[in-house]
């Protein structure tokens, strides 16, 4: 007979975490030698692999249309800082930066993730960190803008953010930073209502 905890629906909201650069190894979602996926307290982690940016933007937007998905954390690199950076906004521009991505969209889209809490969590984990409005020459800003502007108007606003790790940082430090930022986001998420969790 299954324990009641095994038969009840999981009411934790999910956080999609996507290290979007195909050339970068990305963060390690596995918690330990058991092969279990790491989850922050109060939420479930859904790792999404890197891919072609336009397709990846659509995939991430689809995740956010699912009832249990309440956050997306994009993970990339910064070449402008020796510390972690939480990007606060994204510009309306194509992947190559030559044109507007949307002729009718706003010039800027502001992140909905708890930026100050993410920076504080990174610092509490012993990592150098700050927040920045600067975009960089990679797919991060394109993805952030695409996902933010694809959100439907009739739902609670999910947390969407972009964390940039220093270009030369190793896997252990990268994982530590991603987990600290995701945990900060998770602290702002409420359990799913019963109707949405079923």
């Amino acid at each position: 007979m299954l324990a009641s905890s095994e038969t009840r629906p999981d009411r934790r909201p999910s956080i999609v975490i996507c290290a979007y650069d195909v050339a970068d190894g990305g963060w390690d979602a596995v918690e330990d030698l058991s092969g279990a996926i790491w989850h922050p307290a109060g939420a479930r982690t859904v790792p999404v692999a890197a891919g072609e940016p336009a397709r990846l933007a659509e995939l991430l937007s689809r995740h956010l249309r699912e009832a249990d998905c309440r956050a997306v954390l994009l993970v990339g690199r910064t070449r402008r800082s020796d510390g972690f950076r939480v990007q606060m906004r994204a510009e309306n521009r194509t992947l190559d930066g030559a044109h507007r991505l949307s002729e009718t969209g706003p010039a800027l889209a502001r992140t909905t993730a708890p930026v100050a809490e993410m920076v504080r969590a990174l610092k509490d984990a012993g990592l150098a960190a700050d927040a920045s409005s600067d975009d960089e020459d990679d797919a991060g800003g394109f993805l952030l803008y695409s996902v933010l502007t694809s959100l439907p108007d009739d739902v609670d606003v999910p947390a969407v953010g972009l964390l940039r790790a220093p270009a030369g940082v190793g896997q252990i430090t990268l994982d530590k930073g991603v987990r600290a930022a995701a945990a900060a986001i998770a602290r702002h998420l409420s359990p799913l209502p019963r109707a949405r969790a079923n």
Side-chain angles (χ1 to χ4, degrees):
M1 184 172 194
L2 291 174
S4 61
S5 63
E6 295 178 55
T7 59
R8 283 183 300 205
D10 191 337
R11 296 184 58 228
R12 295 177 300 168
S14 64
I15 300 177
V16 170
I17 304 178
C18 175
Y20 53 81
D21 189 347
V22 176
D24 187 12
W27 80 291
D28 187 357
V30 177
E31 183 168 21
D32 52 34
L33 294 176
S34 71
I37 299 295
W38 173 83
H39 302 288
R44 290 181 299 111
T45 302
V46 178
V48 170
E52 191 275 320
R55 255 185 255 147
L56 197 52
E58 176 53 34
L59 174 61
L60 295 170
S61 295
R62 275 204 315 267
H63 271 288
L64 280 170
R65 290 194 288 271
E66 295 174 4
D68 67 336
C69 184
R70 300 302 302 134
V72 167
L73 177 61
L74 299 166
V75 179
R77 296 285 183 165
T78 179
R79 285 158 186 79
R80 299 181 183 172
S81 174
D82 292 331
F84 283 82
R85 301 200 107 168
V86 180
Q87 188 167 317
M88 296 189 293
R89 65 183 193 178
E91 298 174 15
N92 181 356
R93 61 187 179 125
T94 53
L95 195 55
D96 63 6
H99 306 284
R100 288 174 62 92
L101 179 62
S102 168
E103 289 303 320
T104 58
L108 296 170
R110 298 194 181 280
T111 184
T112 54
V115 172
E117 289 86 345
M118 292 166 69
V119 171
R120 189 176 309 117
L122 289 159
K123 289 181 176 179
D124 288 348
L127 303 169
D130 66 3
S132 175
S133 294
D134 294 337
D135 209 343
E136 300 201 23
D137 296 327
D138 67 1
F142 168 86
L143 288 169
L144 185 60
Y145 185 91
S146 298
V147 173
L148 286 168
T149 57
S150 73
L151 296 173
D153 294 330
D154 59 345
V155 297
D156 296 335
V157 178
V160 179
L162 170 53
L163 174 69
R164 293 184 178 277
V169 78
Q171 188 70 53
I172 292 172
T173 304
L174 173 62
D175 293 347
K176 187 177 182 181
V178 171
R179 293 176 187 194
I185 293 172
R187 286 193 286 275
H188 284 258
L189 305 180
S190 302
L192 298 175
R194 293 187 188 279
R196 290 174 69 178
N198 292 331

